[in-house]
Amino acid sequence: MHRRVKELLERVLQTEVVLEHPKDRSLGHYASVVAFPLAKVRKKAPKLIAEDLAKSLSTHPECQEVFSQVAPLNGYINFTLKEEFLNSLCNEALTLGEDFGKQPSKEESYYVEFVSANPTGPLHIGHARGAVFGDSFCRLAKFLGYKVHSEYYVNDMGTQIKTLGLSVFLRLKESLGYQVDYPKECYQGEYIYELAQAAKEHFKIESLEGVDEEVLSAEFGGFAKDLMLTEIQETLAEASVHMDAYVSEKAVFSKSAEVFRRLEAGGGVYEEEGKLWLKSSDFGDEKDRVVRKADGDFTYLAPDIVYHDYKFQQDYHHYINIFGADHHGYVPRIKASLQFLGYDSSKLEVLLVQMVALLKGGQPYKMSKRAGNFVLLKDVLQDMGKDALRFIFLSKKLDTHLDFDVASLQNTDSTNPIFYIHYANARIHTMLDKFTQKGGSLEAVHQSHLLDLPPAGQNLLFNALNLPRVLQGAFNDKELQKICDYLKALAADLHSFYNAHRILDTPQELPYLKLCQMVSLSLTIGLKLLGIEAKKKM
């Protein structure tokens, strides 16, 4: 709708037109400031230009089919769409069904990395927000026609895997009756005991007599990592988060020698004090960073450099990393390495996710004994349900803190947004069921005309048809909370209309049901792109 109106105006006026929604809906569906930039060119007051343009558009045959009113207002031009035009758009949308707003395939492509939590323990609530956002962003991008690849980078080498193996081995050793002192860096929580029991059964260990403890600890690291990665994948699936690929750090880092040769050739690294340094200060970092220590071991930065080289070799237009806020300093280092490797680092965008604070009945959410001092994502999923978790975690901008009380999900009013939206959709389908049960025809509903709607009905129709514009804006700005806000507002409008207007068994029954079907379609599509299935019954 927005695109078609904008294209029409630009074709008629022969200039770029920016359309806005007036805050006061009585002033029309759209407004434009096109007269102001033209004032400089035509050397005429914006108000006079707006009056001339309004007169011209009012007599133009193309515009007559679309606008019922084109009014100048202090230099602005306000447009009101004809009911016949809105009815035709509604017909098109209902014919398209859940493809309403979907766009044809584009050449533009996105490579999105998210979650990438170390496979050394279960996913906790700190991972959930980025996981849900990344998955929903990819769903939206595909719906809008972009080529998308989603990926989880598995940190399966280095200190953390060695520590995991040691933690599991020591727990097993303790279970066999040995006295054990745990180093402070070891992982804690009941899940380590579970991994130790699984390792005992898998490796058939009854005693540690004659066992090379260092070798066994290393084997435990790989074994436990595989089990944890499987659990991570299962938990993500419970949250309806899906990845196109899981890429091994160990496999990618096997190409590190070639990558560092190219870095050296590009002037990106130098040796000093027996260490290899990345010249990241050349590209905005506060200082250069060590990538290989004096003892020959690589720092955490080295595999990340190699991994980003691997990603950029896939030749996508855009690369998005979704990370926790503690990765802020990481950005200039990776971008520096990409520049030295000959890539355009502006193609990489890092979205930083702020923390989530969950409450339950006003009290901090209980941490899991299984994981130690963490709130497990699996526990929250069981408590909140997948739909509520996804909606709540998408309801605010990524760069703002999210505080939420799980107890509010028991509310059956507008304070529980996901209930309120589901209830709006269920209300519509309940009416449609009653209509068909008494012999009504949905075909007759579709063929009815949305004319002479009351103002609230006109606004409801316009808002439902505005879904494609909302989706594109949310994608462009990477602000998926705009979809959440839209769905809440559309549901509220539906409830208000339902409470103010009798629908069934009235002369307006068919057009009102058609209007409600349009609302249901937009609610269904919006929820689907958030990874939520719209409910038809409550």
Side-chain angles (χ1 to χ4, degrees):
M1 177 172 63
H2 180 278
R3 175 182 55 80
R4 286 171 64 169
V5 172
K6 178 175 165 40
E7 288 176 352
L8 169 64
L9 290 173
E10 289 179 342
R11 187 166 64 250
V12 172
L13 299 177
Q14 292 296 300
T15 188
E16 184 177 356
V17 175
V18 176
L19 290 177
E20 303 171 349
H21 294 305
K23 292 182 180 180
D24 183 352
R25 188 53 60 83
S26 68
L27 297 177
H29 294 112
Y30 294 110
S32 177
V33 296
V34 65
F36 289 91
L38 288 176
K40 296 180 180 179
V41 178
R42 300 185 182 183
K43 301 185 184 309
K44 196 174 181 180
K47 182 179 179 180
L48 297 177
I49 292 177
E51 290 173 352
D52 291 342
L53 292 177
K55 290 177 184 177
S56 173
L57 290 170
S58 297
T59 60
H60 200 286
E62 280 187 272
C63 295
Q64 286 180 357
E65 296 178 2
V66 175
F67 303 123
S68 63
Q69 182 180 358
V70 183
L73 184 66
N74 296 325
Y76 287 81
I77 306 178
N78 291 63
F79 308 93
T80 301
L81 300 176
K82 280 190 173 182
E83 286 186 317
E84 292 90 341
F85 178 65
L86 292 173
N87 182 67
S88 68
L89 293 178
C90 181
N91 290 339
E92 291 177 17
L94 292 175
T95 299
L96 287 169
E98 292 188 22
D99 283 340
F100 170 55
K102 191 173 184 178
Q103 296 185 19
S105 297
K106 300 178 174 66
E107 291 297 323
E108 201 169 353
S109 56
Y110 286 81
Y111 197 115
V112 188
E113 180 202 346
F114 54 102
V115 187
S116 296
N118 290 338
T120 53
L123 290 179
H124 56 72
I125 202 64
H127 302 124
R129 196 175 183 188
V132 171
F133 183 94
D135 180 77
S136 295
F137 179 82
C138 290
R139 290 171 188 257
L140 178 58
K142 291 173 184 176
F143 188 78
L144 296 178
Y146 299 99
K147 177 184 175 183
V148 184
H149 176 82
S150 59
E151 191 161 281
Y152 187 123
Y153 179 46
V154 183
N155 303 110
D156 56 0
M157 59 176 276
T159 303
Q160 71 272 11
I161 300 300
K162 292 178 182 178
T163 303
L164 176 63
L166 176 62
S167 303
V168 174
F169 172 77
L170 292 177
R171 179 66 76 178
L172 173 60
K173 186 175 182 179
E174 184 180 51
S175 72
L176 293 173
Y178 293 87
Q179 183 68 34
V180 172
D181 291 323
Y182 288 93
K184 63 179 181 179
E185 67 269 16
C186 279
Y187 298 108
Q188 300 294 324
E190 292 180 359
Y191 81 96
I192 296 295
Y193 175 77
E194 296 168 6
L195 292 173
Q197 290 301 109
K200 180 180 179 181
E201 295 175 12
H202 179 80
F203 290 95
K204 298 179 171 58
I205 297 173
E206 298 298 334
S207 170
L208 295 179
E209 291 295 327
V211 170
D212 187 322
E213 296 189 359
E214 187 173 338
V215 171
L216 189 59
S217 178
E219 290 183 356
F220 279 9
F223 172 77
K225 176 267 299 180
D226 289 341
L227 289 182
M228 291 316 309
L229 183 58
T230 297
E231 178 177 327
I232 286 170
Q233 292 170 326
E234 291 172 349
T235 302
L236 290 175
E238 287 179 28
S240 291
V241 174
H242 303 285
M243 298 286 178
D244 292 323
Y246 286 79
V247 172
S248 163
E249 176 185 14
K250 186 184 296 184
V252 171
F253 199 66
S254 65
K255 308 291 185 182
S256 60
E258 186 271 334
V259 174
F260 280 101
R261 278 197 298 271
R262 286 168 45 219
L263 266 181
E264 185 177 4
V269 292
Y270 62 93
E271 288 201 34
E272 187 176 284
E273 301 173 349
K275 304 172 186 176
L276 186 67
W277 299 75
L278 175 70
K279 295 171 67 176
S280 54
S281 61
D282 285 6
F283 290 94
D285 199 2
E286 58 187 19
K287 62 181 180 180
D288 293 344
R289 305 289 172 174
V290 176
V291 291
R292 189 183 65 224
K293 296 180 283 189
D295 61 7
D297 285 345
F298 287 100
T299 65
Y300 76 92
L301 182 58
D304 285 347
I305 292 172
V306 177
Y307 174 49
H308 279 80
D309 176 75
Y310 162 82
K311 289 203 288 190
F312 270 64
Q313 286 185 28
Q314 312 309 311
D315 197 25
Y316 279 66
H317 294 96
H318 307 277
Y319 297 84
I320 297 177
N321 294 353
I322 302 172
F323 293 147
D326 58 343
H327 283 69
H328 182 269
Y330 160 102
V331 180
R333 302 162 204 175
I334 293 300
K335 289 205 167 195
S337 69
L338 288 169
Q339 288 294 135
F340 286 124
L341 287 167
Y343 299 114
D344 178 4
S345 66
S346 68
K347 293 169 69 174
L348 174 66
E349 182 176 5
V350 179
L351 304 180
L352 299 177
V353 183
Q354 287 294 335
M355 294 295 293
V356 175
L358 283 184
L359 302 173
K360 191 168 185 178
Q363 300 299 315
Y365 199 92
K366 188 177 181 181
M367 292 186 180
S368 168
K369 291 182 179 179
R370 180 169 181 261
N373 296 323
F374 295 107
V375 175
L376 285 187
L377 173 55
K378 186 181 288 286
D379 292 344
V380 179
L381 277 169
Q382 291 175 352
D383 201 358
M384 294 174 61
K386 181 261 296 181
D387 287 1
L389 180 139
R390 289 188 69 111
F391 191 89
I392 296 304
F393 279 40
L394 291 168
S395 64
K396 285 193 175 182
K397 290 180 65 174
L398 278 183
D399 60 1
T400 60
H401 287 274
L402 176 61
D403 300 310
F404 183 75
D405 196 319
V406 176
S408 67
L409 295 174
Q410 304 301 317
N411 299 341
T412 56
D413 56 29
S414 60
T415 62
N416 180 355
I418 190 61
F419 170 85
Y420 205 52
I421 295 166
H422 278 316
Y423 185 39
N425 195 60
R427 241 180 180 169
I428 293 169
H429 283 273
T430 297
M431 286 191 293
L432 290 170
D433 288 344
K434 288 180 178 179
F435 174 74
T436 55
Q437 286 168 9
K438 68 176 186 177
S441 165
L442 292 181
E443 183 64 26
V445 172
H446 295 163
Q447 291 178 357
S448 64
H449 295 280
L450 296 173
L451 305 179
D452 301 321
L453 291 173
Q458 294 175 14
N459 289 339
L460 185 57
L461 176 60
F462 179 80
N463 292 340
L465 289 169
N466 204 39
L467 173 70
R469 176 66 175 171
V470 172
L471 297 181
Q472 190 66 60
F475 177 80
N476 291 344
D477 298 336
K478 299 178 183 65
E479 295 184 359
L480 301 191
Q481 83 282 353
K482 291 182 176 179
I483 302 176
C484 297
D485 293 341
Y486 168 80
L487 295 174
K488 287 189 289 186
L490 187 60
D493 287 347
L494 183 281
H495 289 304
S496 295
F497 183 82
Y498 177 90
N499 292 329
H501 300 84
R502 185 178 173 187
I503 296 175
L504 296 178
D505 302 317
T506 67
Q508 299 83 22
E509 181 178 54
L510 292 178
Y512 281 7
L513 285 176
K514 182 177 181 178
L515 169 62
C516 290
Q517 276 192 318
M518 185 63 238
V519 173
S520 175
L521 179 60
S522 291
L523 290 175
T524 300
I525 294 170
L527 287 173
K528 185 177 181 180
L529 294 174
L530 301 183
I532 301 169
E533 183 178 355
K535 292 185 178 180
K536 296 182 179 181
K537 293 183 179 180
M538 295 284 283

